[in-house]
Amino acid sequence: PFPPNKYLAAFQRARKYEVSQTIWLMQAFKSLFASQLPPVQWLRAMGLKMCQHLPLLKRLFIAHAEG
């Protein structure tokens, strides 16, 4: 019922770069939101406010997250 391993390997190779980007981004978000440094907290708050007040920017982020 499953395709041969060569097809799976080709699929994994094709997705490896995208998956590694996603992993890196999630680690960056984790670090950003875990930081208690005041400058990082300020930048984080400003970024979130910008996304909330700029609908186009917010839609772009949502569209990218959806794939």
Side-chain angles (χ1 to χ4, degrees), residues 1-64:
F2 294 106
N5 284 340
K6 69 178 182 176
Y7 297 117
L8 180 57
F11 175 75
Q12 287 174 325
R13 277 192 305 277
R15 297 264 307 140
K16 187 174 184 176
Y17 178 72
E18 186 178 320
V19 169
S20 66
Q21 281 185 318
T22 301
I23 291 169
W24 179 86
L25 182 61
M26 291 299 106
Q27 289 173 337
F29 275 134
K30 181 180 176 185
S31 296
L32 177 68
F33 283 92
S35 178
Q36 297 299 313
L37 295 172
V40 175
Q41 289 178 327
W42 183 84
L43 284 171
R44 181 176 62 222
M46 289 294 101
L48 290 171
K49 283 181 185 177
M50 283 179 55
C51 285
Q52 192 63 27
H53 288 84
L54 297 172
L56 178 60
L57 182 62
K58 189 175 182 177
R59 281 194 299 270
L60 287 172
F61 281 126
I62 292 170
H64 184 73

